[in-house]
Amino acid sequence: MEIQIHNPLDMHVHLRDADMMSVVAPLTSKYFSWALVMPNLVPPVMNTADAIWYRQRIESLTGNDNFTPFMTLFFHEWLTREILEKAKDHIMWIKLYPAWITTNSEGWVKSVLSEKAKEIFGIMEELGIVLHIHGETGDFVMDREANFMPNYLEIAKAFPNLTIIMEHITTKAAADTLDMFPNLYATITLQHLEITLDDVAGWALKPHLFCKPIAKRYEDRDALLELALSAHPKVSFGSDSAPHPQHTKECPGCAAGVFSAPISLQVLAQIFDRAGKLDNLQKFVSDNAVNIYKITPNTKTVILEKKDFVIPEKYWDVVPYRAGETIDWSIKEVK
Ligand code: NCD
Ligand code: ZN
């Protein structure tokens, strides 16, 4: 059995920089038509010049793959109308990380509802720039996302023409919030469609499944599966593929992030196939995002076949999601 996916899009990916980027960027550009590249470098991608320079570094590695990296800016309170007006021709997306909440988010945004933040949201709304939010508070780890929901509602209500993406949702609470305002959308990762906290820490601790937001309960995973498998039109795929060198995962103080870019389409095909929903995969990995963002992706077709594939133990110094496991689907051809 075979399926064709046209123009796969990854709406949330970490391509890093330097040596790591030279390994992981081609693994995304090979299989995806385009991807939304996260700005949490050290230092972050703060302005248009940073973003253009970062895009050029990515393109130097992916130039032969018919792939477009779309750049995001890191939300900070020094964003002005002037900066945003300049950015608008190059960057349509801004990513907001609450301070300290995840890898490289440090002390930047202390309050997502500060007067300054609201002023910036207003300018973004006017200019048609999309706001992506890592929606977690600093509360108890299992409650962080659910407790963040009132912030989404407040922003969505105050800025009805601002497109807001609830990034990598992991809870039934977020799934239930999605339809409360027409300007709220969401991305879902691969791992959050499969794992729960039991897989991460229920038995032997699995550092390569540790990411932010942490995987939650079975009912949460099932709510996400329902959204993805039914290809809910406000939901698109964002792998949140977040590579870290092996020694920074297998150590005390394990870095947060799951690396899934090279195997995400194959594992998604398995999930959708086993649920009898293969027909909806095209919408989840491409069509929904095309409609939400009104974009025209590069033309690329990935042909997947139902044939065993053993996920490599490592890509360079990074251990991927489900390393060493055999899955049902493999990539036959990309054209
Ligand atoms: C991401 C990373 O490593 O950059 N980590 C993660 O656990 N998802 C950051 C992020 O998206 O939270
Ligand atoms: Zn991320």
Side-chain angles (χ1 to χ4, degrees), residues 12 14 38 95 168 240:
H12 179 138
H14 299 269
M38 291 298 122
K95 177 70 186 287
H168 42 50
D240 195 13

Side-chain angles (χ1 to χ4, degrees), residues 244-312:
H244 292 274
Q246 186 172 15
H247 73 276
T248 67
K249 295 288 288 175
E250 297 175 7
C251 64
C254 167
V258 170
F259 179 56
S260 60
I263 50 84
S264 49
L265 291 176
Q266 301 91 312
V267 180
L268 282 173
Q270 173 171 296
I271 296 170
F272 278 67
D273 181 25
R274 289 186 177 177
K277 295 286 183 189
L278 266 181
D279 287 351
N280 280 342
L281 185 55
Q282 174 67 37
K283 291 187 197 132
F284 180 61
V285 296
S286 182
D287 299 354
N288 286 355
V290 168
N291 292 332
I292 294 166
Y293 297 101
K294 298 172 188 64
I295 47 164
T296 310
N298 301 38
T299 309
K300 182 178 278 182
T301 299
V302 177
I303 302 171
L304 291 135
E305 64 180 330
K306 195 162 183 179
K307 183 176 162 202
D308 280 1
F309 169 63
V310 182
I311 297 182

Side-chain angles (χ1 to χ4, degrees), residues 88-201:
K88 193 182 172 275
D89 293 336
H90 306 272
I91 296 139
M92 295 302 298
W93 297 275
I94 293 185
K95 177 70 186 287
L96 189 159
Y97 296 91
W100 307 110
I101 215 65
T102 189
T103 311
N104 302 340
S105 62
E106 270 79 52
W108 293 98
V109 183
K110 308 274 186 344
S111 162
V112 296
L113 294 174
S114 69
E115 285 313 308
K116 187 65 199 165
K118 287 186 197 161
E119 188 187 320
I120 297 168
F121 297 156
I123 302 169
M124 290 172 65
E125 178 182 43
E126 220 180 280
L127 298 176
I129 298 175
V130 177
L131 176 64
H132 293 249
I133 303 186
H134 182 121
E136 290 195 282
T137 63
D139 300 329
F140 177 64
V141 69
M142 291 293 276
D143 298 335
R144 286 177 188 181
E145 184 175 285
N147 288 357
F148 193 88
M149 291 302 124
N151 295 315
Y152 280 126
L153 296 180
E154 191 165 333
I155 300 167
K157 191 172 171 195
F159 305 95
N161 295 315
L162 178 66
T163 298
I164 302 160
I165 315 293
M166 304 193 288
E167 290 281 25
H168 42 50
I169 58 171
T170 59
T171 54
K172 183 170 183 311
D176 292 343
T177 301
L178 182 64
D179 285 320
M180 288 187 188
F181 282 91
N183 53 335
L184 278 180
Y185 299 85
T187 57
I188 301 180
T189 74
L190 172 64
Q191 67 269 18
H192 293 119
L193 292 175
E194 294 207 302
I195 64 170
T196 68
L197 187 60
D198 259 1
D199 297 287
V200 185

Side-chain angles (χ1 to χ4, degrees), residues 59-111:
E59 282 173 346
S60 73
L61 297 162
T62 61
N64 297 328
D65 281 339
N66 189 23
F67 166 79
T68 306
F70 278 88
M71 311 313 291
T72 53
L73 285 190
F74 191 95
F75 187 97
H76 55 85
E77 293 191 349
W78 297 272
L79 286 171
T80 58
R81 176 177 289 275
E82 199 192 339
I83 295 175
L84 292 169
E85 277 175 353
K86 272 202 199 126
K88 193 182 172 275
D89 293 336
H90 306 272
I91 296 139
M92 295 302 298
W93 297 275
I94 293 185
K95 177 70 186 287
L96 189 159
Y97 296 91
W100 307 110
I101 215 65
T102 189
T103 311
N104 302 340
S105 62
E106 270 79 52
W108 293 98
V109 183
K110 308 274 186 344
S111 162

